Amino acid sequence: MSRRISETTVRRLSLYLRILERMEGQGTSTVGSEDLADRAATTAAQVRKDLSLFGSFGKRGLGYDVPKLAAELREILGLDRRWSVALVGAGRIGSALMEYDGFPDRGFDIVAVFDVDESRRGSRWSGATVMDVDRLEEVVRDRNIQMVILAVPGSAAQEVADRAVAAGAQGILNFAPVQLRVPEGVSLKDVNLVMELEALAFALTQPDVEE
Amino acid sequence: MSRRISETTVRRLSLYLRILERMEGQGTSTVGSEDLADRAATTAAQVRKDLSLFGSFGKRGLGYDVPKLAAELREILGLDRRWSVALVGAGRIGSALMEYDGFPDRGFDIVAVFDVDESRRGSRWSGATVMDVDRLEEVVRDRNIQMVILAVPGSAAQEVADRAVAAGAQGILNFAPVQLRVPEGVSLKDVNLVMELEALAFALTQPDVEE
DNA sequence: ATATGTGAACATTTTCACAGCT
DNA sequence: AGCTGTGAAAATGTTCACATAT
């Protein structure tokens, strides 16, 4: 039960969970791998394989209990606890992120917001006051912040990342369009919107349009 | 020269291009696969393999000509032309996207913006006036819009996607946290911020922290 | 001399197919 | 009977190693 789990598997698990929670809300009590696969745009075998990496959660001849499987997935994904997240950069992207009530719903509490720009400071964002980025280390350390969302210009991203990591952050979600270097043991995820559009452009350019 | 190209390969090509353009700006004229690999956090063999899927762009014993390879990659990725993009949803996420001057820089012109909310309409966003979403089909058709960025609530996403596709859109970049269905031949990319944080949470939860 | 381009080896991921529970 | 869980097979992706071109 301790293989190395691929990125794509984690994304699928995340998706299964979202689907299961919607079904749960609709009162569906049981689901088969076939049905779940359809909704997640994958195959039944893939669903079963993904889940089997972590245990046996279904009943043969019957399928999976929806609330039970959802709970298992939450535990697997580390969503059965709350995470303290800091947001660095209170510009447009940063403020768009604050809108997402999907974050607190999922256990991610944005407990601190930072910006270099004085004019943005002081305002309160869903409970967090925008602070001077000088206080990053202090706050990350004191509030035991595990993850940092970087919504700063590319030129500042590496420096902020280094400081966050030095202060104890273990995960970084990077919106700046630069390739960050982080030490071993720190997780990094990039969201690059231009790259997504480029991937679309490539798909539309190819003669064999497929996905 | 017409294999099926994987998603990850496209992402790497996109990254190579960004690196090459920075080098180009710094006046670097030549680069080796080793050097490019280092900057892209991959291996030299991977770089050469990726490029070899599309042709032979280097000189043995020498490396790659930076501007020439950049031009090749732009052509491969379909960035040697301009794309007409519509944005549906002028809320926080939508407005954050408009900030990105990375879009026009890369050939993506946001030529139309739509919203259901009357209060948001009429304002001009970098040349595009926010219009009633009722006009989506008409405008997508008339302005030959190829891609649509969906920054609408999940409940509206599928309907808007269907309408955009019916009007001729071939690519969709979806920010709504729902699994969209699109017909064969239409490309779909999802950006799901919660999922990214979940992947981070999973990585931090695992005993073997690796990336 | 040096660094590309590429077949072959290796590793990983996905699919198949069926034994084994319920 | 029906659907999961899982080894084995197939497909796909990555790394190696070296012949080949400059």
Side-chain angles (χ1 to χ4, degrees), chain B residues 77-117:
Chain B
L77 291 169
L79 303 177
D80 55 346
R81 68 202 276 315
R82 300 207 70 79
W83 295 91
S84 293
V85 182
L87 169 64
V88 188
R92 278 255 170 92
I93 293 191
S95 69
L97 293 174
M98 298 301 300
E99 165 186 74
Y100 249 42
D101 35 61
F103 289 162
D105 286 356
R106 275 270 179 245
F108 300 105
D109 296 314
I110 310 235
V111 299
V113 182
F114 301 92
D115 205 294
V116 270
D117 187 345

Side-chain angles (χ1 to χ4, degrees), chain A residues 58-74:
Chain A
K59 277 196 170 44
R60 302 185 187 210
L62 230 154
Y64 302 88
D65 179 81
V66 171
K68 181 165 164 287
L69 184 56
E72 294 283 3
L73 285 176
R74 270 189 290 267

Side-chain angles (χ1 to χ4, degrees), chain A residues 2-7 10-15 17-19 22 37-41 54 75-79 81 83 85 91-93 95-100 102-103 106 108 120 146-149 170-173 175-179 181 184-206 208-211, chain B residues 2-7 10-15 17-19 22 37-41 54 75-79 81 83 85 91-93 95-100 102-103 106 108 120 146-149 170-173 175-179 181 184-206 208-211:
Chain A
S2 58
R3 258 194 66 245
R4 177 144 173 51
I5 306 301
S6 79
E7 188 55 37
V10 176
R11 295 183 90 86
R12 281 194 303 266
L13 294 174
S14 209
L15 178 55
L17 175 57
R18 202 167 65 218
I19 293 166
R22 196 159 44 234
D38 278 354
R39 296 173 196 247
F54 300 91
E75 185 181 337
I76 289 165
L77 291 169
L79 303 176
R81 67 202 274 320
W83 295 91
V85 181
R92 278 257 169 89
I93 294 191
S95 69
L97 294 175
M98 298 302 300
E99 166 186 74
Y100 249 41
F103 289 162
R106 277 267 177 248
F108 300 105
R120 286 180 184 142
Q146 291 115 355
M147 301 178 183
V148 174
I149 301 177
Q170 296 152 265
I172 292 179
L173 182 59
F175 282 82
V178 291
Q179 199 67 6
R181 302 269 175 189
E184 185 101 355
V186 173
S187 296
L188 172 67
K189 300 229 107 293
D190 287 288
V191 177
N192 187 329
L193 305 175
V194 171
M195 223 181 236
E196 301 295 337
L197 275 185
E198 288 181 6
L200 267 189
F202 176 78
L204 301 200
T205 302
Q206 291 306 98
D208 51 305
V209 211
E210 201 91 19
E211 171 76 1
Chain B
S2 57
R3 258 193 64 246
R4 177 138 173 55
I5 306 300
S6 79
E7 189 55 37
V10 176
R11 294 183 91 85
R12 282 194 302 265
L13 293 174
S14 211
L15 178 55
L17 175 56
R18 204 167 65 216
I19 292 166
R22 197 159 45 230
D38 278 354
R39 296 173 196 247
F54 300 92
E75 186 180 336
I76 290 166
L77 291 169
L79 303 177
R81 68 202 276 315
W83 295 91
V85 182
R92 278 255 170 92
I93 293 191
S95 69
L97 293 174
M98 298 301 300
E99 165 186 74
Y100 249 42
F103 289 162
R106 275 270 179 245
F108 300 105
R120 286 179 184 142
Q146 291 116 353
M147 301 179 184
V148 174
I149 300 177
Q170 298 152 265
I172 291 178
L173 182 60
F175 282 81
V178 292
Q179 198 68 6
R181 301 270 175 190
E184 187 102 352
V186 174
S187 296
L188 171 66
K189 299 228 111 291
D190 287 288
V191 178
N192 189 327
L193 304 175
V194 171
M195 225 181 235
E196 301 294 338
L197 275 185
E198 288 182 5
L200 268 189
F202 176 78
L204 301 200
T205 302
Q206 290 306 97
D208 52 305
V209 209
E210 201 92 17
E211 173 76 3

